[in-house]
Amino acid sequence: MSIFSVDLTSAPDLKSHEKGTGARRTRRPIYIDLLPPCNNACPAGENIQAWLELSQAQRYEEAWQVLVRDNPMPAVHGRACYHPCENACNREYVDGSVSIHAVERFLGDMALKEGWKPRFETEYSHKRVLIVGGGPSGLSAAYHLARFGHEVEIHDAGPVAGGMMHFGIPAYRLPRYELEAEIKRIEALGIKIVLNHRVDDVLAEKEIGNFDAVFIAVGAHLSKKVEIPGKKDDDVIDAVQLLRNLEMEEPPHLGKKVVVYGGGNTAMDAARSAKRLGAQEVSVVYRRNREQMPAHDFELNEALDEGVNVIWLRTIKEINRSDLKLEIMELDENNKPQATGQFESIKADSVILAIGQKSDTSFLEKVPGIDFKYDGTVVVGPDMMTGHKGIFAGGDMVPSERTITVAVGHGKRSARFIDAYLRGIPYKKPIKAPVVGYERLHVWFKTDAPKSEQEELQLDKRRETFDEIVKGLAPKTALFEARRCLSCGNCFECDGCLGSCPEGGAVIKLGRGNRYRFNYQLCTGCAICYEQCPCHAIEMIAEPDKKSQED
């Protein structure tokens, strides 16, 4: 790649045969394809390395087409995903992970600007699928089912599609134009979206609409409650309802001093929104310490940058109008918070409760065969089907991590199993190749390509507006960032094996896009090609037939 420069001083000794296998070859090299850790870590199952490679060649529409085979909303995910792919990226051990989310956002935004449409061929099945819930999981399932050739209809209780993407993520993190544009592109596949339509009787809805299968993904729109002595209904504001009201242009008057009770990402969003609504002093009360806080680091750091204060190791024990009684907590030997019996008081004009969300799955209790966990989440099998034949479920309403990317992954996975169910053909999940870790790479080349930083809205402007904070990458920067990919586990045709082979002709180049092959009549099994391959696309295996060196 163009950003790499070869440093022969740190490369393997290309003239040395000390690591060979002697006159009689006992090992031979083979070309392999391993699973890059970014792909493995993506909850939506994106082929990240593939679309990064196409982006490196500036074949952006092709890259986007590969991306949307798995994820129909790259402009959304490039902004709102917590990018676990980057946490797994092997480049983190070199000079910082590839900014995968930023390149994904670049492609997603370019697609909206250029009007790209997903390209696929399908054969219509004449089967109908009802989807209950128009959030990330429902939209993802609808998209993939439409690609499979099924007729899809979404019924959603809300006034707009998007679910918690629309009502749970503030506009400063996820602007509404990009969200709505990607939803419209999904709808344009022929998917019917019925809004303001709450489904109370799934079986009746299925029968009346003549649906062959149902996918339920109602999300987690209900806030969990906590009993606080002295608390009255008008003493606290529900965090989810607060964020929802922002979308409905009905923001409440919070006053000058606001306290947010909770430590998750919703608590951070509520606190930062309170700042933007005019609160002068916003404090988050959390009963544990920073290391145990469920909110992502960058969410907390951005809140702190914006002037939000965090009161650690405290719980609200009593509310008496504007007076809050806090109990000081301490962590025991198991890092669990324990009450100390010591108290302190603070004042607040408003208290926002943000201690977690749950799904309203009570409407499914009358459906035979459906089982529930203690927290109300729905039990599904490996095929995402509930205990009632033909009814599937996914997203926040099933036991899992609650993020939009996990939900989108559930939608895709469920669509595959629903398609198999409708066609009467079992879906067999492809076998994964082994994941290639950094310890298996041979990064002998020199790198000078630190991770690109995205520009951000100035702090003084953040506190008074819901405008998007993080900016997208310029084309030149997006290209640079894509080219930082190490192509872990898969050959990118760097010609290293070809150039390092001491037995001229043992490695044969097959032409761009076709990689290489080995001539085992010339290969001695010296392993130099293996040792220099930067991405571990070559493995050494035992000779299949030690009696003969003939192929």
Side-chain angles (χ1 to χ4, degrees), residues 333-364:
E333 63 276 7
N334 298 315
N335 280 328
K336 292 185 177 181
Q338 301 295 337
T340 65
Q342 302 177 52
F343 301 92
E344 59 189 28
S345 296
I346 61 172
K347 288 188 176 293
D349 297 314
S350 298
V351 177
I352 300 173
L353 195 62
I355 59 170
Q357 292 90 247
K358 61 181 181 179
S359 299
D360 182 4
T361 56
S362 58
F363 71 103
L364 295 175

Side-chain angles (χ1 to χ4, degrees), residues 78-139:
R79 291 169 165 85
C81 177
Y82 296 119
H83 38 80
C85 54
E86 294 182 25
N87 296 334
C89 177
N90 281 331
R91 181 127 197 171
E92 181 64 36
Y93 297 97
V94 181
D95 54 7
S97 62
V98 177
S99 189
I100 297 168
H101 77 279
V103 182
E104 180 169 17
R105 169 178 169 168
F106 172 79
L107 293 173
D109 287 353
M110 180 177 283
L112 294 177
K113 181 180 178 181
E114 300 295 332
W116 295 340
K117 306 296 182 186
R119 293 196 300 265
F120 60 93
E121 294 182 1
T122 190
E123 182 177 340
Y124 291 101
S125 67
H126 304 290
K127 298 289 187 179
R128 285 171 49 79
V129 181
L130 168 64
I131 294 180
V132 182
S137 196
L139 289 167

Side-chain angles (χ1 to χ4, degrees), residues 229-516:
K231 177 178 74 69
K232 298 179 181 178
D233 290 341
D234 56 354
D235 287 332
V236 297
I237 300 169
D238 177 84
V240 174
Q241 190 60 46
L242 169 68
L243 296 174
R244 185 181 182 88
N245 287 345
L246 294 176
E247 286 302 306
M248 305 303 290
E249 299 181 356
E250 299 174 4
H253 177 69
L254 300 176
K256 295 181 179 180
K257 291 187 176 182
V258 176
V259 168
V260 179
Y261 192 28
N265 294 309
T266 299
M268 297 302 107
D269 287 337
R272 297 171 70 185
S273 295
K275 273 284 185 182
R276 287 161 172 77
L277 291 173
Q280 296 177 5
E281 184 180 322
V282 179
S283 298
V284 173
V285 173
Y286 181 55
R287 67 194 186 105
R288 300 176 185 264
N289 59 19
R290 176 163 183 164
E291 289 70 31
Q292 296 175 313
M293 195 177 212
H296 289 86
D297 264 351
F298 76 88
E299 285 260 42
L300 173 59
N301 290 334
E302 288 181 2
L304 294 173
D305 289 343
E306 292 171 11
V308 173
N309 177 47
V310 181
I311 305 174
W312 305 103
L313 291 167
R314 300 291 190 275
T315 60
I316 299 178
K317 296 300 291 184
E318 186 177 337
I319 297 176
N320 184 9
R321 294 189 178 275
S322 62
D323 293 320
L324 272 62
K325 183 179 181 181
L326 306 183
E327 182 168 13
I328 299 172
M329 311 296 285
E330 63 180 13
L331 299 179
D332 61 18
E333 63 276 7
N334 298 315
N335 280 328
K336 292 185 177 181
Q338 301 295 337
T340 65
Q342 302 177 52
F343 301 92
E344 59 189 28
S345 296
I346 61 172
K347 288 188 176 293
D349 297 314
S350 298
V351 177
I352 300 173
L353 195 62
I355 59 170
Q357 292 90 247
K358 61 181 181 179
S359 299
D360 182 4
T361 56
S362 58
F363 71 103
L364 295 175
E365 292 176 357
K366 52 191 174 184
V367 179
I370 294 185
D371 294 321
F372 304 85
K373 293 283 189 179
Y374 70 94
D375 58 357
T377 53
V378 173
V379 177
V380 294
D383 58 357
M384 305 301 289
M385 191 186 292
T386 68
H388 190 99
K389 187 176 180 180
I391 296 181
F392 300 75
D396 291 352
M397 63 176 290
V398 304
S400 64
E401 183 183 358
R402 289 178 170 176
T403 71
I404 64 169
T405 315
V406 169
V408 164
H410 281 187
K412 181 179 76 170
R413 182 180 177 186
S414 298
R416 289 175 173 173
F417 283 110
I418 293 171
D419 176 65
Y421 168 79
L422 294 175
R423 297 183 187 277
I425 304 172
Y427 170 69
K428 293 184 179 179
K429 188 176 179 180
I431 298 174
K432 281 188 176 182
V435 178
V436 55
Y438 180 74
E439 74 284 351
R440 303 181 73 181
L441 305 183
H442 306 122
V443 188
W444 50 264
F445 45 71
K446 204 174 192 180
T447 63
D448 184 19
K451 185 175 183 175
S452 304
E453 297 296 331
Q454 293 173 264
E455 293 184 12
E456 295 185 355
L457 189 67
Q458 295 177 350
L459 272 174
D460 57 342
K461 294 182 179 179
R462 286 193 209 174
R463 300 186 183 99
E464 57 190 36
T465 177
F466 281 84
D467 289 349
E468 185 173 20
I469 293 174
V470 181
K471 307 301 180 183
L473 297 180
K476 184 177 180 180
T477 309
L479 177 61
F480 174 86
E481 196 60 36
R483 287 178 172 172
R484 295 182 67 243
C485 175
L486 298 176
S487 194
C488 305
N490 297 279
C491 174
F492 61 94
E493 300 184 32
C494 68
D495 286 349
C497 55
L498 183 69
S500 66
C501 178
E503 310 294 334
V507 177
I508 301 171
K509 187 176 178 68
L510 300 177
R512 185 64 183 167
N514 296 310
R515 303 184 181 180
Y516 315 84

